Every structure is written in C-alpha cells, then in structure tokens.
Amino acid sequence: MVRRPAPEAAVRAAVRTVRGDIAPEALGVCDAHDHLFLRSPRLPGQELSDPAAAAAELAAFRAAGGAAVVQWTPHGMGRGAAELPGLARESGVHIVAATGLHQAVHYAPELLAGVGADLAELFVAELTEGIGDTGVRAGMIKVAGGFHGLDAHARWTMTAAAEAHRATGAVIGVHLEGGTAAQDVIELLCGEQGVPPRRVILGHLNRFPDPGMLRRAAETGAFLAFDGPSRAHHATDWRLPEALRALADAGHGAQLLLGGDTTTAAARSVNGGPGMPHLLRRQRLWLAETLGPELVTRMLTVNPARAFAAVWPPESAGRRATGA
C-alpha cells in the first residue's frame, strides 16, 4: 500500500515542474493542458516525437506571452521526459509533466501487462522520485473516462490515481471522452474514493457544452478545463464564450482553466496549425471581448496556479527549480 505523509510534516504548496518545485505565483501565464510529446496506436504517423519541433513550438508560445505548459501525456505514451528539462531551460517556459494512464486503446497489450499489479505505486514513484531513470518528476496525475461511462480499465486507473493523490497531494486531471461522464468521474473519485473535488480537473468540457451538464460539473467544486482550440474537428468551439460567461456569472470563475491540447504534428503552429500560441494570440483576445480581460487573465494565471499546486510529501519536496 502507498504510505501517506504525516500531516505535521507538510510543506508549503508548490507546483512541481520538470526542473523542480516553484511557488504557485511563479507559474505565470499557463496553457493548462497541452502536449509536447505524444504517441499512440490510435494516431499512427501523427506522433509528437521531435525535440526540435517541440523547442520551436515552445519558443512561439513564449513569444506570444506564455510562461508555463502542463503536458498531460501520461505513462507509456512517449512523454519525452528526458528532453523536458532542457526544453524548459532553453525556452524559459515552465513545464509540468504527468504520470497516470490513458484509456486502454492507447496502449499495446504488452505495455499494459508490464505496468505491474500496483499501479498507484508507479504513479507515486513518478511523482516523488522520477520518471524511469531520468530523475524528472511528474507534477500531476492524468487518467481517462469513456464515452458516457467508465469501463473496468477507467475504474482501475482512477482508483490508483486516488490512492496516489492521497499519498502525494497531486491533482488528478481527467480526460472526458467527448466531454462526457463528468458525473460518473466525480462519483468515483470524490464519492467512492474521497478525493476532494478541488483536487480534480475535468478536461475537455468544451466538447459537450450542455449548460445543465456544465452547471452540475461546476457545482461539484472541481476545476473545469476547456482545452481544445488546436483541435480542428471540434464544431462546438464557437459556444465557448457563452459557456464560460454562464459559469462565471454563476460564481464559478475561480474553477475555469484554458488549454490548447495539441496532439498531432500538423496541429503545431510551426507546421501551419494553431498550436500552443493560438491560445494567447487569438483565443485570449476573442474570449476577452465576451468575458472581459480580467477574467481571462485569471483563467490563465491564478486558476492554474491553484489547480496544480500541491503540498508534496516532505521527502520529495526539497528539490527546488534550478538552472540545471
């Protein structure tokens, strides 16, 4: 079983980046859900695997005013962990990496078979010791639901994520397939497993912008991620301003996060797509017309700083951000 840290040994909340822990207020303008590296059997020939292209995309994001990127690529999907500290140093952009596990369809069967019996131990090790032999620590847990439901794999990974959260304090980010099954996720993570809703991020809510569903999701207290402007097939993007306005007017402005979710090489700005810079070059201005610049700035700065900060176990909290 995963060991919980002693409450009296708690340290100040910090965001765990690939170069070390930083104060939440140092995170800056943050793309709260994106990918620099990613591979999946579901996306043959569309891998994000080129460090030079990742560096160029980060440089473009930095030039647009970006200061931090949270990479939601979990275990076994080509996270590029060894490359991330150098990319962060060279670009001047903070990078947060993820542990966790995606839907089973994103893995070869032999990879899943090799994960081992205690998935929570793997997650905790990657959060507190490092990913593989890189020494690069993850700063969040990423898991995934299914379309309007949770299968046995999702329940397994989410139960492990809850245990890893209890051991480390790390936030749990959830891929909602098509933006659905938010209530099922909350019932499992927060109801059955006791994870505080404020330590859960519901991702891809822009893909299913039903006002009633969004209101119910917000009322749980979870963070709500709207993270898809780099995805060309999402016809619901035009409804984003009204959805965010309604949530903010209902008192949920402090729970809203924005991200780009670039998952293919063709979607990168350096290859002619919108990529990471679009979030700041275009979408930020577009949203500000409806929401006002103050709320949009909060969604890009204060909210992600709160969402990704954790009180890490004392044995893993001593490493601060360095020039390494």
Side-chain angles (χ1 to χ4, degrees), residues 17-249:
T17 80
V18 298
R19 296 179 63 210
D21 294 352
I22 64 172
E25 58 270 21
L27 193 64
V29 174
C30 180
D31 177 343
H33 181 162
D34 226 310
H35 301 275
L36 292 162
F37 296 97
L38 178 73
R39 67 167 180 264
S40 166
R42 294 290 297 272
L43 298 168
Q46 300 182 59
E47 296 82 4
L48 296 177
S49 58
D50 182 356
E57 192 72 359
L58 279 174
F61 177 71
R62 180 66 172 170
V69 171
V70 182
Q71 175 172 266
W72 283 43
T73 310
H75 178 83
M77 293 188 68
R79 288 170 287 185
E83 303 286 348
L84 295 178
L87 288 169
R89 181 183 63 249
E90 292 162 13
S91 65
V93 175
H94 298 299
I95 299 173
V96 177
T99 187
L101 218 61
H102 211 316
Q103 297 163 332
V105 296
H106 289 286
Y107 299 97
E110 56 269 23
L111 190 149
L112 287 179
V115 166
D118 198 334
L119 190 60
E121 289 284 0
L122 170 64
F123 295 169
V124 171
E126 293 194 338
L127 289 160
T128 61
E129 300 169 20
I131 296 168
D133 60 0
T134 65
V136 175
R137 296 181 298 179
M140 69 165 293
I141 308 164
K142 188 263 185 71
V143 288
F147 187 58
H148 288 294
L150 304 178
D151 62 11
H153 176 88
R155 291 182 176 277
W156 174 54
T157 60
M158 289 186 193
T159 299
E163 188 174 348
H165 159 77
R166 290 191 290 269
T168 65
V171 71
I172 302 171
V174 185
H175 165 100
L176 298 180
E177 186 67 23
T180 67
Q183 197 63 40
D184 298 83
V185 169
I186 290 296
E187 289 174 1
L188 174 57
L189 286 177
C190 305
E192 297 178 28
Q193 294 296 322
V195 177
R198 62 183 175 78
R199 302 310 294 147
V200 174
I201 301 172
L202 300 173
H204 306 321
L205 288 170
N206 51 295
R207 302 183 189 182
F208 193 73
D210 173 70
M213 183 278 290
L214 293 177
R215 184 187 69 254
R216 290 188 293 273
E219 288 171 351
T220 68
F223 281 95
L224 313 176
F226 295 80
D227 42 27
S230 289
R231 309 292 293 274
H233 61 285
H234 290 155
T236 60
D237 282 355
W238 64 274
R239 297 191 62 180
L240 185 60
E242 68 182 66
L244 293 173
R245 178 77 273 164
L247 290 167
D249 288 347

Side-chain angles (χ1 to χ4, degrees), residues 6 113 271 274 306:
N271 293 327
R306 289 177 52 244

